[in-house]
């Protein structure tokens, strides 16, 4: 079969499908099993063993393993036991296993998000239209596509209307390719000349079509060049890259300190292997090598949390950006409003009368509704007593009003068939159909009054202007309807010909009520220092009325129309943009100018969109938010985030979660760096002052493994603080150590070091070196676990509730148990160089470990650690 060359009849016969019915569900299931899922082959995922081996790539781990091998050699030569090198290897292996588990968790979370983001396809099966995941398509499926859709699989066109397809991903041609179902194509025609085909991965830029799937998955043209789209790039986030760089700097500093400690130890006669192992293990414990991985887990957990709030994040860096959004530019329809338009007013252009739309309108208004319904593509169906609107809400409102007047859309289409059409697009702001009505060929045009009235040569358009303004002041959306009779059906419908010389027929006015939660979300935005901006194609009066009702348009704010925006220079827009709260009658291309004007003022912009033409603005914005319900596949592909409920309140909730996630990352960074600084200062000052190592290499490694990783991950799961939306947005270039975190980390490290050295001195005074090291081990390890609770908030721990983070409580219990295990189980205690202490010393160690709690509470109380507002 040559899909682009063989006749359509032959192709349908070979694929065994009736284009009016489609495949049966049973046949589709059999073909899916035979052909496999409609997806490109992804790169083979890393196995757990490969992941395990990659944990040993870190230079510090390599040094530690080398030290263990050297320790083996020395122990063998001196005839001593192999406990220390074996234990070091065991700890390193355990650390690698934890790394594999963490990486697997993060990957599973991201895989779950990928599954949520799978594109959908409109398919005809068993004679019924339905939406399925595009991965379930099989050869022979009948698919329906329209402007804004990605083509889900390769297909031969059955029928199409004004179809243009963006095929640059395949052909390199930047201009959309015009398509025709009737075109005959030679068998050897190149891809760009196969005008009767649509190809997977391309996007519909204009018109609509019906096609039969001829190839799926790796058999598609895109599959043959699978490298273009196979899998998604794995890239670290900007924050992760900063933290990795920070780790390198800390590594250099740690190595310098370790070199000093090593030299001091050699001068004071400490055995070579002992001081070498202490130096190396200190370097490993001082460097937060797991920080980027833990940040990934925190981001992935936060993203999963957002899914429950109806926000699907496609790219992890967007999570970092969300928390600092300072402007949210939102569409009105469906996002700030309910997207359930209701027709309430109709104006008859022949008599200049305005009627309320009901179930028994006058003949002239009924004719207006008839013509308007014929020029619509939407549907209103009733399933199990539930009213379901399919298609553009403006159109379904017209169809429902016609239905209430006894005119069913299906019956109208059958009685007055459509002969040709010019689909709606946002540049023309009109839609046109050519219908056969009572033997006459009637062109029907519906669209924006401002545009359509200029194309009318008959009808009372001047009188209609007054009613347009009146309905606009009442927050109604107004559409105009016009018509004309022609003699012949044009071979290629052209807007310039069909949409001129019209007779004005009338107006329909509809309202889309504001979402109840939108007003509260707007108020929360303002409280959080975020500027809400409405951008809509609606009339300025309608937009302003809704914006004022929601609280977006305040006294002193401006409303600007698309024509006024076009007249502004870039510098004028940049100067005025801060005062403009509503943009009305603008095209999607205007959104880019608005985004850039805000960005030039240093603001971080979130932008919503749903159409094909919104894609550039969604990409230009710092956070592009696509609509999950009404949004096109192209818009979703360009966006960082998809709102599954098309709700403005969801954006605000996502910003709240984004702020919470960033806060949690700061807590994790502060905790890990504070504890690591404490470890390195403890050993450095002990060696400098007393020429004795307060902690053995195995003890340092155990502290690093137990008291760092588990509480750090648990801190990343801290619930979002209740007042997070009371703060101003984070500045674009704000450092993660801003607002005193850097100073706090340094002081905390010094506090841990001081307490540990106190424990070491007390133990050393009352016993031998083993007693001092046991005290230092207990104080340092317990202190870090206790301190993880301090890092939960810059507010008092007792105000937020000490045990409200159950994950952290569990992590602390496990950490305490692990510390107790090596301290009180004799064989393990011996291996770790720990000894039994008196009850008094255990009590002293516990008291020293809890010192950070009152100290941090005091600093919070007096304002040294300030809660950000």
């Amino acid at each position: 079969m040559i899909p682009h060359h063989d006749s359509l009849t032959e192709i349908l016969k070979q694929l065994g499908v009736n284009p009016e019915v489609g495949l049966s569900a049973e046949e589709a299931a059999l073909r899916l099993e035979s052909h496999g899922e409609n997806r490109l082959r992804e790169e083979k995922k890393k196995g757990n063993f490969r992941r395990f081996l990659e944990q040993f790539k870190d230079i510090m781990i390599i040094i530690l393993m080398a030290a263990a091998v050297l320790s083996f050699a020395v122990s063998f030569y001196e005839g001593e036991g192999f406990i220390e090198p074996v234990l070091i290897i065991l700890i390193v292996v355990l650390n690698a296993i934890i790394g594999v588990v963490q990486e697997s968790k993060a990957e599973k979370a991201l895989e779950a998000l990928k599954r949520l983001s799978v594109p959908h396809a409109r398919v005809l099966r068993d004679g019924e239209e339905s939406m399925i995941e595009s991965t379930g398509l099989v050869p022979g499926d009948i698919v329906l596509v329209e402007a804004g859709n990605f083509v889900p699989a390769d297909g031969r066109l059955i029928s199409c209307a004004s179809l243009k397809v963006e095929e640059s991903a395949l052909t390199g041609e930047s201009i959309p390719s015009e398509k025709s179902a009737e075109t005959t194509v030679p068998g050897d025609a190149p891809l760009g000349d196969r005008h009767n085909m649509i190809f997977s991965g391309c996007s519909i830029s204009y018109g609509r079509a019906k096609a039969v799937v001829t190839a799926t998955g790796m058999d598609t043209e895109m599959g043959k060049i699978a490298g273009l789209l196979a899998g998604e790039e794995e890239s670290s986030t900007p924050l992760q890259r900063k933290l990795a760089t920070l780790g390198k700097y800390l590594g250099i500093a740690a190595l310098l300190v370790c070199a000093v400690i090593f030299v001091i130890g050699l001068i004071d006669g400490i055995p070579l292997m002992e001081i070498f192992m202490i130096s190396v293990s200190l370097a490993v414990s001082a460097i937060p090598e797991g920080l980027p991985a833990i940040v990934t887990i925190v981001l992935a957990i936060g993203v999963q949390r957002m899914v429950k709030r109806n926000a699907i994040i496609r790219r992890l860096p967007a999570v970092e950006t969300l928390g600092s959004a300072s402007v949210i530019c939102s569409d009105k329809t469906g996002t700030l409003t309910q997207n359930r338009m209701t027709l309430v007013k109709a104006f008859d252009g022949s008599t200049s009368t305005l009627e309320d739309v009901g179930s028994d309108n006058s003949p002239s208004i009924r004719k207006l509704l008839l013509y308007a319904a014929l020029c619509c593509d939407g549907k209103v169906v009733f399933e199990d007593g539930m009213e379901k609107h399919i298609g553009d809400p403006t159109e379904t409102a017209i169809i429902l009003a016609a239905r209430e007047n006894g005119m069913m859309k299906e019956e109208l289409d059958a009685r007055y068939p459509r002969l040709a059409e010019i689909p709606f697009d946002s540049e023309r702001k009109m839609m046109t159909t050519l219908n056969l009505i009572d033997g006459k060929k009637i062109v029907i045009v519906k669209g924006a009054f401002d545009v359509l009235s200029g194309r009318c040569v008959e009808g009372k358009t001047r009188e209609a202007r007054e009613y347009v303004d009146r309905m606009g002041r009442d927050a109604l959306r107004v559409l105009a309807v016009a018509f004309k009779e022609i003699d012949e059906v044009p071979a290629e419908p052209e807007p310039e010909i069909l949409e001129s010389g019209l007779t004005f027929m009338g107006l329909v006015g509809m309202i889309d009520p504001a979402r109840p939660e939108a007003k509260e979300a707007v108020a929360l935005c303002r409280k959080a220092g975020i500027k809400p901006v409405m951008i809509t194609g609606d009339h300025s009066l309608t937009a302003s009325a809704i914006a004022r009702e929601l609280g977006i348009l305040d006294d002193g704010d401006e409303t600007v129309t698309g024509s006024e925006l076009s007249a502004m220079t870039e510098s004028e827009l940049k100067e005025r943009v801060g005062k403009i709260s509503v943009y009305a009658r603008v095209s999607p291309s205007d959104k880019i100018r608005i985004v850039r004007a805000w960005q030039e003022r240093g603001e971080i912009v979130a932008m919503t969109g749903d159409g094909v033409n919104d894609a550039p603005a969604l990409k230009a914005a710092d956070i592009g938010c696509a609509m999950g319900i009404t949004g096109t596949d192209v818009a979703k592909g360009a966006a960082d985030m998809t709102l599954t409920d098309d709700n403005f309140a969801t954006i605000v909730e996502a910003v709240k979660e984004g702020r919470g996630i960033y806060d949690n990352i700061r807590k994790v960074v502060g905790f890990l760096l504070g504890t690591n600084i404490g470890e390195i200062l403890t050993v450095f000052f002990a060696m400098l002052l007393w020429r004795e190592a307060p902690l053995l290499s195995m003890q340092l490694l155990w502290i690093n493994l137990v008291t760092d990783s588990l509480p750090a991950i648990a801190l990343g799961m801290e619930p979002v603080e209740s007042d997070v939306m009371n703060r101003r947005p984070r500045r674009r270039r704000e450092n993660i150590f801003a607002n005193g975190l850097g100073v706090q980390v340094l002081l905390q490290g010094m506090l841990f070091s001081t307490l540990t050295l106190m424990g070491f001195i007390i133990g050393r005074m009352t016993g031998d070196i083993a007693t001092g090291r046991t005290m230092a081990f207990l104080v340092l390890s317990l202190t870090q676990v206790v301190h993880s609770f301090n890092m939960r908030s810059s507010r008092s721990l007792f105000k937020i509730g000490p045990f409200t983070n159950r994950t952290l409580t569990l992590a602390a219990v496990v950490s305490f148990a692990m510390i107790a295990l090596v301290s009180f189980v004799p064989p393990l205690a011996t291996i770790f160089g720990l000894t039994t202490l008196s009850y008094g010393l255990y009590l002293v160690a516990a008291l020293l470990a809890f010192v950070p709690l009152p100290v941090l509470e005091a600093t919070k109380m007096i304002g040294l650690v300030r809660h950000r507002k």
Side-chain angles (χ1 to χ4, degrees):
M1 180 177 70
I2 305 175
H4 60 276
H5 175 65
D6 295 345
S7 70
L8 180 60
T9 304
E10 189 177 340
I11 289 169
L12 293 170
K13 184 178 178 181
Q14 289 187 51
L15 291 170
V17 62
N18 180 340
E20 302 305 319
V21 179
L23 298 175
S24 66
E26 294 78 9
E27 179 61 25
L30 288 172
R31 294 189 186 190
L32 185 63
E33 192 173 336
S34 170
H35 291 271
E37 288 193 333
N38 176 34
R39 65 168 81 238
L40 296 180
R41 192 177 299 122
E42 294 184 358
E43 290 182 11
K44 190 176 178 182
K45 290 192 174 94
K46 296 177 190 174
N48 285 333
F49 182 68
R50 183 180 166 191
R51 279 204 192 99
F52 178 77
L53 293 178
E54 287 184 352
Q55 302 298 317
F56 296 90
K57 282 183 177 179
D58 188 274
I59 185 64
M60 291 292 104
I61 299 297
I62 293 171
I63 292 172
L64 196 59
M65 292 297 290
V69 171
L70 187 57
S71 178
F72 261 118
V74 172
S75 297
F76 180 79
Y77 178 77
E78 295 180 353
E80 297 178 356
F82 298 101
I83 291 175
E84 182 168 336
V86 167
L87 189 60
I88 290 170
I89 290 173
L90 284 175
I91 288 174
V92 170
V93 168
L94 183 58
N95 193 47
I97 291 171
I98 290 175
V100 170
V101 171
Q102 290 176 351
E103 193 176 323
S104 297
K105 279 183 179 177
E107 186 181 79
K108 283 177 183 175
L110 294 175
E111 282 297 322
L113 290 173
K114 281 184 184 178
R115 286 194 294 274
L116 283 172
S117 304
V118 170
H120 285 70
R122 208 165 111 212
V123 65
L124 185 66
R125 284 185 180 169
D126 292 314
E128 296 287 334
E129 283 184 28
S130 60
M131 294 294 290
I132 66 168
E133 289 186 359
S134 61
T135 53
L137 286 177
V138 295
D141 262 326
I142 305 299
V143 294
L144 302 157
V145 292
E146 59 187 13
N149 292 160
F150 276 120
V151 179
D154 287 6
R156 172 69 178 265
L157 292 172
I158 297 171
S159 61
C160 62
S162 306
L163 187 67
K164 293 183 181 180
V165 183
E166 171 59 61
E167 295 181 335
S168 57
L170 276 177
T171 65
E173 178 59 54
S174 59
I175 300 171
S177 173
E178 294 187 13
K179 299 290 182 176
S180 171
E182 289 76 30
T183 302
T184 302
V185 178
D188 59 353
L191 278 178
D193 293 339
R194 298 176 190 176
H195 297 301
N196 57 4
M197 296 286 295
I198 53 176
F199 298 107
S200 175
C202 301
S203 60
I204 308 296
S205 56
Y206 196 79
R208 58 191 177 88
K210 183 179 185 179
V212 58
V213 173
T214 56
T216 60
M218 296 303 292
D219 295 327
T220 62
E221 294 298 331
M222 191 66 79
K224 293 170 186 174
I225 15 177
L228 289 176
L229 290 177
E232 293 187 18
E233 292 182 11
E234 288 185 14
S235 58
S236 57
T237 71
L239 180 59
Q240 285 174 298
R241 290 193 289 272
K242 288 178 186 175
L243 293 176
T245 303
L246 175 66
K248 288 178 184 176
Y249 289 140
L250 286 173
I252 294 169
L255 286 174
L256 290 174
V257 171
C258 292
V260 172
I261 290 172
F262 183 71
V263 171
I264 291 172
L266 286 180
I267 292 172
D268 286 350
I270 296 175
L272 175 65
M273 277 310 301
E274 182 180 336
I275 191 60
F276 177 73
M277 292 305 298
I278 289 172
S279 300
V280 172
S281 58
L282 179 60
V284 173
S285 65
I287 300 169
E289 67 276 351
L291 190 55
I294 290 175
V295 167
T296 302
I297 293 169
V298 173
L299 288 171
I301 290 167
V303 166
Q304 286 286 62
R305 205 186 286 176
M306 284 188 184
V307 170
K308 296 174 184 176
R309 305 272 188 168
N310 299 314
I312 299 174
I313 303 294
R314 294 184 65 249
R315 290 182 270 270
L316 281 185
V319 181
E320 299 170 24
T321 314
L322 264 172
S324 52
S326 54
V327 178
I328 299 178
C329 297
S330 174
D331 188 23
K332 177 182 74 68
T333 305
T335 311
L336 292 163
T337 58
Q338 295 178 23
N339 203 16
R340 294 298 297 267
M341 301 294 287
T342 304
L343 215 63
V344 291
K345 297 284 184 182
F347 171 79
D348 177 21
S350 61
T351 60
S352 295
T353 57
L354 188 69
E355 280 186 33
D356 292 332
V357 175
S359 58
D360 187 22
N361 284 110
S362 66
S364 59
I365 294 299
R366 285 169 58 83
K367 184 178 179 182
L368 173 65
L369 294 176
L370 165 66
Y371 276 44
L374 287 172
C375 192
C376 290
D377 287 329
K379 292 181 182 178
V380 178
V381 295
F382 291 84
E383 296 176 354
D384 301 324
M386 295 290 291
E387 182 182 307
K388 188 176 180 182
H389 291 229
I390 302 171
D392 184 88
T394 302
E395 295 194 335
T396 58
I398 294 170
I399 291 165
L400 186 61
R403 182 189 181 95
E404 288 174 353
N405 275 269
M407 296 178 286
M408 309 298 179
K409 171 67 170 165
E410 298 79 7
E411 295 174 6
L412 295 178
D413 288 340
R415 186 175 176 184
Y416 309 115
R418 187 180 294 185
L419 306 177
E421 66 180 284
I422 303 174
F424 174 86
D425 75 62
S426 54
E427 295 295 332
R428 287 171 33 253
K429 294 187 172 66
M430 289 185 293
M431 174 182 175
T432 298
T433 62
L434 174 58
N435 294 75
L436 187 63
I437 302 176
D438 299 331
K440 299 176 181 179
K441 300 175 184 68
I442 304 295
V443 175
I444 306 170
V445 185
K446 78 173 195 308
F449 176 79
D450 291 348
V451 179
L452 194 146
S453 60
R455 298 170 183 257
C456 293
V457 293
E458 291 185 32
K460 300 180 179 180
T461 54
R462 187 174 299 176
E463 291 86 342
R465 163 57 67 185
E466 179 186 340
Y467 288 93
V468 170
D469 293 340
R470 185 192 300 180
M471 287 190 275
R473 284 192 293 271
D474 293 333
L476 299 186
R477 182 174 187 180
V478 182
L479 284 180
V481 181
F483 72 98
K484 73 175 180 180
E485 183 180 344
I486 60 173
D487 297 325
E488 297 294 332
V489 179
E492 288 293 331
E494 296 291 340
E496 293 78 10
I497 297 171
L498 291 186
E499 296 172 350
S500 60
L502 302 171
T503 298
F504 176 71
M505 192 174 191
L507 306 168
V508 289
M510 59 198 75
I511 188 165
D512 180 12
R515 287 180 180 264
E517 66 275 20
K519 188 169 185 177
E520 186 180 335
V522 168
L524 187 59
C525 272
R526 292 196 176 279
K527 192 176 181 183
I530 300 168
K531 168 83 171 177
V533 177
M534 178 192 287
I535 301 177
T536 179
D538 271 354
H539 194 280
S540 61
L541 292 174
T542 307
S544 297
I546 291 287
R548 200 170 290 282
E549 180 189 344
L550 291 171
I552 292 174
L553 190 65
D554 278 348
D555 294 338
D557 289 344
E558 297 179 27
T559 297
V560 167
T561 64
S563 56
E564 291 171 336
L565 182 63
S566 300
M568 289 186 206
T569 64
E570 299 305 321
S571 59
E572 287 172 339
L573 178 58
K574 180 182 175 182
E575 187 178 336
R576 288 182 58 187
V577 73
K579 297 178 183 178
I580 303 171
S581 292
V582 178
Y583 295 87
R585 278 290 190 262
V586 295
S587 64
S589 58
D590 292 327
K591 288 185 175 184
I592 298 180
R593 291 190 66 204
I594 298 166
V595 168
R596 288 178 178 158
W598 277 111
Q599 288 173 332
E600 285 176 12
R601 291 167 64 103
E603 305 294 342
I604 295 178
V605 185
M607 169 69 74
T608 69
D610 57 6
V612 182
N613 291 336
D614 288 329
L618 292 175
K619 278 195 169 184
D622 297 285
I623 308 144
C625 308
M627 302 296 106
I629 299 172
T630 60
T632 60
D633 293 336
V634 175
K636 292 173 189 175
D640 304 292
M641 179 169 76
T642 299
L643 309 178
T644 58
D645 59 356
D646 290 12
N647 194 339
F648 178 81
T650 300
I651 308 173
V652 182
E653 280 295 325
V655 171
K656 181 179 178 181
E657 288 289 344
R659 289 188 178 189
I661 290 167
Y662 189 81
D663 278 357
N664 286 351
I665 290 172
R666 276 172 51 91
K667 293 166 189 174
V668 170
V669 171
F671 171 72
L672 287 176
L673 294 187
T675 55
N676 288 351
I677 288 172
E679 291 168 15
I680 200 166
L681 289 179
T682 296
V683 178
F684 179 73
F685 284 116
M687 291 297 297
L688 204 64
L689 296 173
W690 304 298
R691 306 298 195 265
E692 285 183 336
L695 293 158
L696 296 175
S697 56
M698 292 176 294
Q699 295 167 354
L700 278 168
L701 288 168
W702 191 255
I703 291 170
N704 197 44
L705 176 70
V706 174
T707 62
D708 279 11
S709 299
L710 295 179
I713 294 171
L715 276 173
M717 300 182 188
E718 184 71 25
V720 178
E721 295 195 41
S722 58
D723 65 344
V724 73
M725 292 299 278
N726 293 346
R727 311 174 194 164
R728 302 290 301 174
R730 196 173 75 248
R731 292 187 302 276
R732 183 181 287 271
R733 300 188 181 278
E734 182 177 296
N735 192 286
I736 195 168
F737 295 106
N739 300 303
L741 181 63
V743 175
Q744 183 183 342
V745 165
L746 186 60
L747 293 177
Q748 286 167 2
M750 293 172 67
L751 175 62
F752 301 150
S753 174
T754 302
L755 293 171
T756 305
L757 291 174
M758 287 174 64
F760 176 70
I761 294 167
I762 293 170
R764 194 75 177 85
M765 289 170 59
T766 56
D768 56 9
I769 185 69
T771 304
R773 284 173 176 163
T774 302
M775 282 289 288
F777 172 79
L778 288 172
V779 172
L780 184 56
S781 57
L782 293 173
T783 298
Q784 294 183 358
V785 179
V786 170
H787 177 62
S788 64
F789 286 85
N790 283 326
M791 292 302 297
R792 288 186 56 203
S793 175
S794 53
R795 294 189 297 173
S796 169
L797 178 63
F798 301 100
K799 282 187 179 179
I800 64 172
F803 306 110
T804 47
N805 184 342
R806 293 182 181 179
T807 309
L808 181 58
T809 303
L810 178 61
V813 169
V814 172
S815 297
F816 283 138
M818 298 286 278
I819 294 166
L821 188 69
V822 298
S823 299
F824 298 116
V825 176
L828 290 176
T830 302
I831 291 171
F832 276 87
L834 300 172
T835 187
T836 304
L837 303 177
S838 65
Y839 291 120
L841 287 180
Y842 282 126
L843 179 62
V844 170
L847 289 173
L848 288 173
F850 276 88
V851 166
L853 192 58
V855 169
L856 262 292
E857 284 296 307
T859 57
K860 291 174 184 177
M861 188 182 298
I862 64 177
L864 288 178
V865 174
R866 292 188 301 275
H867 185 64
R868 188 181 173 193
K869 295 180 180 178

